[in-house]
Amino acid sequence: MDFAISGLEHLFLWTSTIFIALQAFQLTHWLGWLYLAFLVLALTGTLKLRPLPGAMVFHSPLALFNAFFYFTILLSKFSHAQSPDVDTTAVPSGSLIGATSATTLPTAGTATIAASGTETTTFRPIFTVPSSADTGATLIPNINDPNATDAQTVCPGYSGSNVQRTLNGLTATLTLAGSACNVYGTDIESLNLTVEYQSANRLSVKIVPTYIDASNSSQYILPSTLVNEPTVEADASTASLTNDLGFFWSNEPTFSFSVVRMSTGDILFSSFGTKLVFENQFVEFVSTLPENYNLYGLGEVIHGLRLGNNFTRTLYAADAGDPIDYNIYGSHAFYLDTRYYEVDGPTGNLTLVTSGDNESDPTKDYVSYSHGVYNRNSHGQEILLRPSNVTWRQLGGSIDLYFFPGPTQPQVTSAYLSGAAGLPAMQQYFAFGFHQCRWGYANWSVVQDVVDNYAKFEIPLENIWTDIDYMKEYRDFDNDPIRFNYSEGQQFLSTLHANNQHYIPIVDSAIYVPNPTNASDAYPPFDRGNATGSFILNPDGSLYIGEVWPGYTVFPDWIGGGAGQWWIDEMTTWHGEISFDGIWIDMSEASSFCIGSCGSNNLSMNPVHPGFSLPGDPGAGIFGYPEGFNLTNATEAASASAAAASQSSANAASAGPAPATTAAPSYLRTTPTPGVRNVEYPPYVINNVQGELAVHAIAPNATHHDGTQEYDVHNLFGHQILNATYQALLNVFPGKRPFIIGRSTFPGSGMFAGHWGGDNFSLWAYMYFSIPQALSFSLFGIPMFGVDTCGFQGNSDEELCNRWMQLSAFFPFYRNHNDLNSISQEAYVWSSVIDATKTAMAIRFQLLPYIYTLFYQAHTTGSTVMRAMAWEYPSDPNLVNADRQFFLGPAILVTPVLDQGATSVDGIFPGTGKGTIYYDWYTQTQVDIVIGQNLTIAAPLGHIPVYIRGGYVLPMQQPAMTTTAARATPWSVLVALSTEGTASGSLYLDDGSSLTQNATLYVELAATSSSQLWASGRGMFMDMNPLSNVTILGAEAPGNVTLNASPVAASGVSYNASTKVLIVSGLDSMTSNGAWASDWVLAW
């Protein structure tokens, strides 16, 4: 017995000794060495430890010492987590913690990092960053400040001189016309004006400081290496002679300029009667606008399509969950201006339509003229839309304006994208399949269950996504070793890929900084990036360390550092472990959960918990439901309301009494210091959704390796990470088109990626807002757009998800995604949603060749995919506000139900007064429309009204479970004849994935009034699928039906005289080499 106890005691002593030594070294090195010193002294007999008299089992003095030492370590760890060793210098309430400062973090409670779903991963007691770390100074936006100075009143403006003609325009010097006002910065004494007719459809007006050198260039000059800069085209000297724009300037009373449409004399832009203000932190210029103007664009914002004339648009990239009318993720300083004119029949004279609602008289004729304006600037901006003018205000930079004369929206958009921003990327074919995601898929098994459920219910699923759940402690380029380990993931993806399905993971924009006191916290991606100078710095050259999901983080420096190659290398290495098919970029404004470099002196606490509750945290339950939920689910709604009230009471009790706020708020206002910029608190305060510029973002004084301050390039982070990811995926998939969806965008981002609408809500209002948001991004050159179908934040319900799954089927990017801790909302959750989804997806799959062709045209010409009705019918002023319906390309009109409880919807059918006809998709019959009236359309739950516009030909394929399977199905052609009996269409085909194609095929189809359908192709791409059938809507009774003069069997010809639908089938054998292998003519 004594021998056994002695052996057990020795085993305990040595295992506990080794364990305690490791724990001591992990906590701090000096404690580990101290323990080893005591151990050596005790074992050599130098240090005598007394045994405990009467010990029952272990009587070794070393055992007692180990127990004492272990409890000392535990106490030290607990104290370390509760009271971190940081600089305790007090920071005044509301003051900025700049990029060079370490945020003082007071004592806070502990928390654990919650993994998504049913599992929780606990690493150690984790410090919760106090919410005050992301609380900025109390500011009042200038537009709301009654004490704000009006720069137009106090500033002198400029005077033009030294005007010189150039080959393509003119140059001039602008000099202050009086004493400097220095109202929101330091006035620039001398400016250079350059005007260039750069092409037949672009005019450039550029104003920059005369004296720019290395010390101030980044403040004013946006490099073409970061954002495309339009230049004079090779044939500009001749082509510009056809430019319909004229530039005029005056010095009366101070410098102003106007841009005029020469063919009509219409003034498109004029600063006459206003003053140019140009300071180092404030630039202002104003243009008059006609009464009740129609402007579109100026994103990104949750708002109706038409912006209105009492609205301020702030452009400052912000991580904000889709608040209405505020700045959110992207910055697009481009607008489309459309003006309607009544045409006098006898004389042809034009009279501008200025009525507030732009209602038209159906007995009169109208015409519209559109033009575009783009301000190439990366600083924070405000555009004040007021009844008679638009005022541009910038926090720096130059005036870099481009005007596009149109005169139609397609011409404006094409000129903007092809000549300025950049044409959108061509997508791989699989990208147009359905995508499923959510924050909350806990492990590979859960993801597999989702894939299996879609197959079980026979709902097509092309792409499965994972949110940050898959990451090891929320770190980029590293999977959780237990829940999302690589070996299991490789097995899952092998099966997924064998079924022609794809996997898209999220990648965030910040990189975790490992805890320097914890050897087990190693994170090689950070080490490699730090070694190559890949991260943004503080002004003193140290790392700028903010805070995002994993804890304290750094941010890649896309502008002056080595981040580009490092990002390529990390993405490539990670793909070797997990074979993803595309990338989802998030948090790219870039978001940071604290002000300034808050992690600089606090890395020994990493990882830390954010200073706000996460879904699943105590007190963060989600009980919100869509509007009208109480009408359709009264019992469940009452239960949710009671739970929400109980949670609110508990949270209030936990928080304690709110501080008294009897005094009026004290706002921080700053005044300019001559020659010095205040980038933390610019004297002009924009109406930023987050308030202070540093709140929930990288601080403005963070510094790039080339010396550029974040203040000057904040709006470019999202654009640059998309560019870097595009280059990385070219390395991962050589020769393939990268598939990327990103959150923060800028002009030109469409060249690299698509965009989703961000953290929207499971509300009917946000289903509506998805349409104007998508149409706006059509103008911005990012046609690969979609939203989180059924809503991201809050709980969806069956009715909303039913309608939304059908609506999103007609958006290019089609994804269902929602929040952690919300109820599940996959398409198979509700029985009616299953049926509704299948119905809409069947239409989408048939239209995939049409959608793919639209993208090819957008990629090559700058045309749009989703289109506002006003763009397709530019002579109808009634359509200026129409954003509850839309066209998918020119041929498909979608009229969704957007109101809870509705079983019908009022639809507009534009152009019917001018002879346009529409066919119902489902019945294939012509729609009976009373000219000048909306049509009330029956739309029971599960039915989305879809119409085909007469005059178009649609090549189609059959529905399948994946796009790969769909591409292998026979072809059909749907012909919707116009009133003249004609129709046309086109089809683009390639291999669906290659960046550079070895062979392509472009087919043009045309139906003539002589009852013939012609198909003529050019290109060498071979598609072996036969032509199965042709359906002709609006056809007269056929005679002999032939294909290339060969008779079609009578059994293959079906005609319905009442519906005027002719179906010609059985064509497979006649086109066995492929529907488009040779040209053909179908006659009837």
Side-chain angles (χ1 to χ4, degrees):
M1 182 69 178
D2 290 342
F3 177 78
I5 292 175
S6 176
L8 185 62
E9 179 174 356
H10 281 85
L11 178 64
F12 164 79
L13 284 176
W14 288 113
T15 55
S16 63
T17 297
I18 295 171
F19 173 75
I20 291 170
L22 291 174
Q23 290 289 303
F25 275 106
Q26 188 180 73
L27 185 63
T28 178
H29 286 170
W30 69 262
L31 188 62
W33 288 114
L34 178 64
Y35 174 71
L36 289 181
F38 270 97
L39 192 63
V40 170
L41 291 175
L43 293 176
T44 59
T46 305
L47 178 65
K48 301 293 185 180
L49 299 175
R50 298 179 181 179
L52 180 66
M56 296 295 294
V57 183
F58 297 152
H59 56 274
S60 167
L62 183 57
L64 299 177
F65 178 71
N66 276 354
F68 167 77
F69 206 90
Y70 181 62
F71 283 111
T72 300
I73 289 175
L74 287 180
L75 182 62
S76 178
K77 278 194 169 188
F78 180 77
S79 174
H80 179 76
Q82 294 292 313
S83 304
D85 181 20
V86 297
D87 178 9
T88 56
T89 303
V91 179
S93 176
S95 66
L96 174 77
I97 302 173
T100 55
S101 305
T103 306
T104 301
L105 300 177
T107 300
T110 60
T112 58
I113 293 182
S116 304
T118 58
E119 304 177 20
T120 300
T121 304
T122 303
F123 305 103
R124 62 170 177 82
I126 290 178
F127 181 78
T128 297
V129 177
S131 59
S132 59
D134 201 27
T135 301
T138 303
L139 305 176
I140 181 170
N142 182 277
I143 61 170
N144 299 328
D145 188 353
N147 300 326
T149 301
D150 179 11
Q152 290 296 310
T153 302
V154 301
C155 292
Y158 285 80
S159 178
S161 62
N162 192 29
V163 180
Q164 302 289 326
R165 288 182 180 176
T166 65
L167 181 63
N168 298 295
L170 62 86
T171 62
T173 300
L174 307 180
T175 308
L176 272 178
S179 300
C181 61
N182 298 329
V183 60
Y184 296 115
T186 302
D187 282 29
I188 307 300
E189 175 71 25
S190 178
L191 307 171
N192 288 345
L193 166 70
T194 304
V195 179
E196 291 179 329
Y197 291 87
Q198 296 184 335
S199 71
N201 54 24
R202 187 173 67 252
L203 170 67
S204 167
V205 177
K206 190 185 300 285
I207 301 176
V208 300
T210 299
Y211 306 106
I212 295 179
D213 56 28
S215 66
N216 65 357
S217 62
S218 65
Q219 299 178 25
Y220 303 108
I221 304 301
L222 179 56
S224 59
T225 54
L226 300 181
V227 177
N228 184 53
E229 181 179 13
T231 57
V232 174
E233 295 183 4
D235 62 347
S237 59
T238 55
S240 63
L241 297 177
T242 63
N243 194 314
D244 197 23
L245 300 180
F247 177 88
F248 302 91
W249 70 278
S250 170
N251 271 337
E252 299 297 332
T254 60
F255 171 79
S256 64
F257 72 91
S258 299
V259 176
V260 177
R261 186 184 299 280
M262 301 303 291
S263 61
T264 64
D266 189 20
I267 299 174
L268 307 185
F269 191 99
S270 177
S271 62
F272 180 77
T274 67
K275 298 171 184 175
L276 170 63
V277 182
F278 204 117
E279 300 175 341
N280 64 346
Q281 285 196 267
F282 180 75
V283 177
E284 177 177 283
F285 53 98
V286 184
S287 172
T288 56
L289 285 172
E291 183 181 1
N292 292 311
Y293 51 83
N294 309 302
L295 259 58
Y296 309 90
L298 297 178
E300 179 176 10
V301 63
I302 305 299
H303 189 81
L305 180 61
R306 185 182 179 218
L307 295 173
N309 61 9
N310 187 24
F311 186 36
T312 298
R313 279 296 301 115
T314 302
L315 304 186
Y316 196 78
D319 173 10
D322 285 15
I324 295 172
D325 287 353
Y326 279 93
N327 57 302
I328 48 177
Y329 319 104
S331 301
H332 293 269
F334 169 85
Y335 71 69
L336 174 76
D337 183 338
T338 299
R339 303 178 186 185
Y340 292 87
Y341 299 84
E342 182 183 326
V343 182
D344 181 74
T347 66
N349 292 338
L350 304 179
T351 303
L352 182 68
V353 177
T354 59
S355 59
D357 51 13
N358 285 276
E359 289 186 358
S360 60
D361 184 337
T363 66
K364 296 180 179 179
D365 292 327
Y366 298 88
V367 66
S368 72
Y369 288 84
S370 293
H371 67 274
V373 178
Y374 167 42
N375 185 29
R376 183 178 171 272
N377 185 287
S378 60
H379 287 78
Q381 297 182 54
E382 275 187 345
I383 302 96
L384 284 65
L385 304 177
R386 297 299 182 261
S388 61
N389 58 50
V390 54
T391 299
W392 296 77
R393 292 173 178 169
Q394 306 170 177
L395 296 185
S398 62
I399 297 174
D400 196 1
L401 291 169
Y402 299 87
F403 298 88
F404 308 92
T408 66
Q409 173 274 324
Q411 289 172 309
V412 171
T413 305
S414 178
Y416 170 58
L417 299 181
S418 61
L423 293 164
M426 186 63 184
Q427 297 293 330
Q428 292 196 53
Y429 208 92
F430 81 76
F432 300 108
F434 176 65
H435 304 251
Q436 178 60 55
C437 182
R438 84 162 295 177
W439 182 10
Y441 292 151
N443 52 48
W444 286 124
S445 296
V446 173
V447 178
Q448 182 66 66
D449 287 344
V450 174
V451 175
D452 292 344
N453 278 330
Y454 271 94
K456 174 183 175 181
F457 291 101
E458 298 181 332
I459 305 171
L461 175 66
E462 185 83 16
N463 307 285
I464 187 70
W465 296 44
T466 51
D467 208 311
I468 58 176
D469 315 275
Y470 80 84
M471 296 178 178
K472 178 183 178 182
E473 301 176 38
Y474 303 143
R475 304 176 189 186
D476 281 351
F477 311 124
D478 200 2
N479 280 36
D480 186 283
I482 298 174
R483 297 177 298 108
F484 284 92
N485 64 78
Y486 291 133
S487 60
E488 187 179 350
Q490 289 163 359
Q491 295 174 10
F492 166 76
L493 292 176
S494 176
T495 303
L496 191 79
H497 290 151
N499 198 38
N500 295 309
Q501 294 171 298
H502 306 86
Y503 169 61
I504 316 295
I506 194 172
V507 172
D508 279 337
S509 301
I511 299 299
Y512 178 75
V513 183
N515 187 326
T517 66
N518 183 356
S520 67
D521 198 37
Y523 182 48
F526 165 79
D527 297 334
R528 292 189 287 263
N530 197 33
T532 53
S534 297
F535 304 128
I536 295 175
L537 307 172
N538 287 309
D540 64 2
S542 63
L543 286 177
Y544 178 93
I545 304 174
E547 180 217 341
V548 194
W549 299 119
Y552 293 123
T553 56
V554 290
F555 301 87
D557 181 0
W558 309 114
I559 293 176
Q565 186 59 50
W566 164 79
W567 192 256
I568 291 172
D569 294 342
E570 294 302 326
M571 198 77 73
T572 304
T573 299
W574 185 44
H575 184 264
E577 300 283 3
I578 202 77
S579 53
F580 54 79
D581 301 287
I583 290 295
W584 170 24
I585 295 294
D586 197 13
M587 311 297 287
S588 52
E589 293 70 34
S591 176
S592 179
F593 300 162
C594 64
I595 294 176
S597 190
C598 60
S600 289
N601 295 330
N602 299 315
L603 291 179
S604 62
M605 295 165 18
N606 238 358
V608 296
H609 187 283
F612 52 86
S613 295
L614 299 178
D617 282 351
I622 297 174
F623 302 107
Y625 283 87
E627 310 94 318
F629 183 71
N630 60 311
L631 302 177
T632 56
N633 299 269
T635 302
E636 190 174 352
S639 175
S641 178
S646 175
Q647 176 175 275
S648 179
S649 297
N651 288 345
S654 175
T661 55
T662 55
S666 176
Y667 297 113
L668 174 66
R669 294 180 174 91
T670 63
T671 56
T673 300
V676 178
R677 297 198 306 170
N678 184 345
V679 297
E680 291 92 348
Y681 295 110
Y684 183 86
V685 180
I686 63 173
N687 191 29
N688 180 23
V689 65
Q690 302 287 11
E692 183 182 327
L693 299 183
V695 171
H696 222 66
I698 301 174
N701 66 339
T703 306
H704 296 262
H705 281 74
D706 65 352
T708 302
Q709 289 186 298
E710 180 70 7
Y711 178 89
D712 300 310
V713 292
H714 167 80
N715 286 336
L716 297 183
F717 189 99
H719 178 67
Q720 291 302 314
I721 195 174
L722 293 177
N723 186 356
T725 305
Y726 187 88
Q727 307 308 321
L729 293 193
L730 287 178
N731 194 64
V732 171
F733 306 108
K736 298 295 183 182
R737 303 167 187 154
F739 174 65
I740 307 166
I741 296 294
R743 193 164 79 173
S744 182
T745 59
F746 194 82
S749 293
M751 295 188 296
F752 312 121
H755 173 60
W756 95 103
D759 295 346
N760 63 356
F761 289 83
S762 295
L763 296 171
W764 289 86
Y766 279 83
M767 182 167 63
Y768 151 69
F769 279 126
S770 70
I771 299 174
Q773 195 176 10
L775 296 174
S776 295
F777 273 89
S778 292
L779 295 178
F780 301 149
I782 308 181
M784 192 61 179
F785 177 89
V787 297
D788 286 346
T789 302
C790 302
F792 175 75
Q793 301 186 65
N795 298 306
S796 191
D797 68 4
E798 183 173 5
E799 183 185 4
L800 176 64
C801 204
N802 185 305
R803 296 295 193 188
W804 210 333
M805 282 297 294
Q806 291 203 314
L807 170 60
S808 286
F810 298 91
F811 282 47
F813 177 50
Y814 185 17
R815 184 181 76 163
N816 181 314
H817 176 51
N818 70 320
D819 200 355
L820 178 70
N821 219 40
S822 300
I823 65 172
S824 295
Q825 62 182 39
E826 289 83 2
Y828 53 74
V829 170
W830 296 284
S831 60
S832 76
V833 179
I834 294 174
D835 295 336
T837 300
K838 288 183 177 180
T839 298
M841 281 191 181
I843 302 173
R844 180 184 180 90
F845 267 87
Q846 292 175 78
L847 291 175
L848 282 179
Y850 171 68
I851 295 172
Y852 194 69
T853 300
L854 290 173
F855 260 80
Y856 169 74
Q857 293 166 346
H859 171 64
T860 54
T861 70
S863 61
T864 54
V865 177
M866 287 180 68
R867 303 178 181 182
M869 291 195 291
W871 306 343
E872 286 298 299
Y873 287 90
S875 297
D876 188 351
N878 286 316
L879 300 176
V880 294
N881 289 309
D883 57 8
R884 296 175 69 88
Q885 297 171 259
F886 61 92
F887 280 96
L888 181 60
I892 299 297
L893 175 63
V894 182
T895 307
V897 173
L898 301 173
D899 298 311
Q900 189 276 325
T903 56
S904 65
V905 59
D906 289 340
I908 301 172
F909 291 84
T912 52
K914 303 293 184 181
T916 300
I917 58 177
Y918 294 86
Y919 299 90
D920 186 291
W921 175 274
Y922 305 94
T923 67
Q924 299 188 328
T925 57
Q926 184 176 333
V927 181
D928 186 13
I929 304 166
V930 177
I931 296 174
Q933 295 183 16
N934 291 347
L935 179 66
T936 299
I937 306 161
L941 192 64
H943 176 75
I944 181 169
V946 179
Y947 301 92
I948 312 155
R949 181 177 168 188
Y952 288 91
V953 179
L954 297 172
M956 304 188 301
Q957 287 182 286
Q958 301 307 304
M961 293 298 288
T962 64
T963 59
T964 300
R967 292 197 78 184
T969 62
W971 288 93
S972 61
V973 175
L974 181 62
V975 182
L977 294 176
S978 67
T979 53
E980 294 80 15
T982 61
S984 63
S986 58
L987 171 68
Y988 171 76
L989 291 173
D990 61 19
D991 67 14
S993 62
S994 297
L995 192 66
T996 302
Q997 293 290 327
N998 291 324
T1000 64
L1001 179 65
Y1002 196 83
V1003 181
E1004 294 179 293
L1005 300 105
T1008 68
S1009 57
S1010 56
S1011 299
Q1012 291 182 326
L1013 175 64
W1014 295 71
S1016 176
R1018 57 182 184 271
M1020 301 302 295
F1021 180 79
M1022 298 299 296
D1023 180 285
M1024 303 303 295
N1025 300 306
L1027 176 64
S1028 178
N1029 59 76
V1030 176
T1031 300
I1032 303 160
L1033 310 184
E1036 298 299 330
N1040 294 327
V1041 180
T1042 62
L1043 182 66
N1044 283 344
S1046 298
V1048 175
S1051 60
V1053 179
S1054 172
Y1055 180 71
N1056 187 318
S1058 62
T1059 61
K1060 292 190 173 183
V1061 177
L1062 171 63
I1063 301 175
V1064 182
S1065 57
L1067 303 176
D1068 304 66
S1069 61
M1070 303 177 74
T1071 57
S1072 57
N1073 291 330
W1076 321 113
S1078 60
D1079 296 349
W1080 50 259
V1081 180
L1082 178 72
W1084 62 93

